[in-house]
Amino acid sequence: DTAVSQTPKYLVTQMGNDKSIKCEQNLGHDTMYWYKQDSKKFLKIMFSYNNKELIINETVPNRFSPKSPDKAHLNLHINSLELGDSAVYFCASSQDWASMATEAFFGQGTRLTVV
Amino acid sequence: AQSVTQLDSQVPVFEEAPVELRCNYSSSVSVYLFWYVQYPNQGLQLLLKYLSGSTLVKGINGFEAEFNKSQTSFHLRKPSVHISDTAEYFCAVANTGGFKTIFGAGTRLFVKA
């Protein structure tokens, strides 16, 4: 059983399109995250939700909108895609917001390519 | 605020040789420290973590790391590497209050036969 699963694994789309990436965790965790990994492998947090409530919102364009319908799901919707949005997006979860400081579980990533 | 510096972007090493991947951090408060590994086309996996207690931490796959508070370092070591250890390794730091983990830029370990 995959603990943190993301779909799709690969996403190729044209500039200006709107796309969504879905994430689900079956670990019973309260907290979920979205990270962006750029072409140089630098990993940066974008958002964090704890029990469906937004607790971290880094400096991210408002074209990016996370949605958490329940604590097991955290989806990422991106409007008006730009070339610079090309990256690998990782979803992660931890038992609770304090436990992010002890261990996070990552999905396999979604490689987004904007052409 | 915390920051993490991984001093080497790439480390090539021959199989069965020892390896050390260097990590330095800065923080004005107490921290937790981590090493994660990312195999090609996969997500990150926790290798080991330092929360408190013994400064020498042992992780999976024969890796260990030593927390050195005076030098603000958390270097990762393995006495004998395998081809299968080829991966990207990330050092990370979080303040003990939680919320956010900051990752270093990663070190690519390349093990040659």
Side-chain angles (χ1 to χ4, degrees):
Chain A
D1 262 354
T2 304
V4 182
S5 59
Q6 299 177 225
T7 54
K9 192 171 181 180
Y10 299 97
L11 184 54
V12 181
T13 187
Q14 290 188 325
M15 279 174 49
N17 282 352
D18 303 338
K19 290 292 178 186
S20 292
I21 306 171
K22 296 186 176 182
C23 179
E24 176 182 4
Q25 54 95 3
N26 62 7
L27 297 165
H29 288 170
D30 284 346
T31 309
M32 297 183 72
Y33 313 81
W34 278 109
Y35 280 85
K36 180 180 180 181
Q37 186 177 47
D38 63 24
S39 58
K40 295 182 179 180
K41 298 286 187 178
F42 186 63
L43 197 65
K44 186 173 180 184
I45 192 167
M46 300 173 69
F47 302 103
S48 175
Y49 271 72
N50 185 63
N51 232 340
K52 302 193 298 176
E53 301 287 331
L54 181 66
I55 56 171
I56 293 176
N57 185 351
E58 292 296 290
T59 307
V60 175
N62 57 15
R63 299 181 294 104
F64 290 78
S65 52
K67 285 187 172 52
S68 182
D70 55 64
K71 70 175 192 179
H73 295 83
L74 180 61
N75 304 323
L76 183 65
H77 188 75
I78 315 170
N79 288 328
S80 304
L81 277 155
E82 300 177 357
L83 293 176
D85 297 331
S86 296
V88 181
Y89 292 85
F90 285 100
C91 178
S93 74
S94 63
Q95 188 165 349
D96 51 50
W97 64 262
S99 295
M100 180 61 185
T102 54
E103 184 172 1
F105 293 81
F106 284 79
Q108 291 201 325
T110 295
R111 183 174 294 276
L112 171 64
T113 303
V114 183
V115 297
Chain B
Q2 299 97 320
S3 67
V4 181
T5 302
Q6 291 185 242
L7 297 158
D8 308 292
S9 59
Q10 294 186 65
V11 174
V13 64
F14 284 104
E15 194 174 18
E16 297 184 8
V19 72
E20 178 180 82
L21 305 184
R22 297 181 293 168
C23 173
N24 285 92
Y25 70 93
S26 67
S27 176
S28 56
V29 298
S30 296
V31 295
Y32 298 140
L33 294 156
F34 311 83
W35 277 98
Y36 283 84
V37 60
Q38 183 180 24
Y39 297 106
N41 298 316
Q42 293 190 25
L44 279 70
Q45 178 184 359
L46 184 68
L47 262 184
L48 49 79
K49 59 188 176 187
Y50 170 80
L51 304 182
S52 65
S54 173
T55 56
L56 183 63
V57 180
K58 294 191 183 298
I60 61 171
N61 301 340
F63 283 93
E64 63 180 33
E66 185 154 20
F67 170 54
N68 187 320
K69 190 174 180 180
S70 62
Q71 297 188 3
T72 60
S73 67
F74 191 56
H75 301 333
L76 181 70
R77 300 185 184 98
K78 186 170 182 178
S80 174
V81 294
H82 303 288
I83 298 283
S84 59
D85 292 323
T86 294
E88 193 86 23
Y89 291 79
F90 292 91
C91 182
V93 62
N95 69 48
T96 56
F99 270 135
K100 194 160 66 171
T101 300
I102 306 296
F103 287 83
T107 297
R108 172 128 177 94
L109 174 64
F110 179 58
V111 182
K112 301 178 283 186

